[in-house]
Amino acid sequence: MRSTWTDSRLDEFKNRIDSRLNDLDKRIGELSTRVDGLSQRVDGLQHAMVQGFIALVVVMATGFMGLAGLIVTQI
């Protein structure tokens, strides 16, 4: 390993680091876009699950009320 760094080597090192940081910035931007899309899909799934839960509660309540009505009319 060299013990001294010349100006040209430092400039070359700086350019290489800048290039790698630019690539990293681009990849992080792409990842951020993918995460945003995934977040929207999860939000949609949660919305559908809440609607399904409400539908199940309504069906169960209707069934219990019907059963209670049948029991009351038979007494």
Side-chain angles (χ1 to χ4, degrees), residues 2 14 18 21 42 51 54 58 61 63 66 70:
R2 295 182 183 185
K14 178 195 166 294
D18 286 344
L21 287 174
V42 168
Q51 286 180 337
I54 290 171
V58 168
L70 183 64

Side-chain angles (χ1 to χ4, degrees), residues 15-39:
N15 290 337
R16 203 170 75 217
I17 293 297
D18 286 344
S19 173
R20 294 187 73 178
L21 287 174
N22 288 338
D23 291 343
L24 181 61
D25 187 41
K26 187 170 75 171
R27 290 177 65 187
I28 288 172
E30 292 170 359
L31 182 61
S32 176
T33 302
R34 291 177 64 186
V35 167
D36 288 342
L38 184 59
S39 176

Side-chain angles (χ1 to χ4, degrees), residues 50-69:
V50 167
Q51 286 180 337
F53 178 72
I54 290 171
L56 283 173
V57 168
V58 168
V59 167
M60 288 175 57
T62 303
F64 288 138
M65 303 262 285
L67 185 59

Side-chain angles (χ1 to χ4, degrees), residues 1-5:
M1 184 169 172
R2 295 182 183 185
S3 60
T4 60
W5 286 74

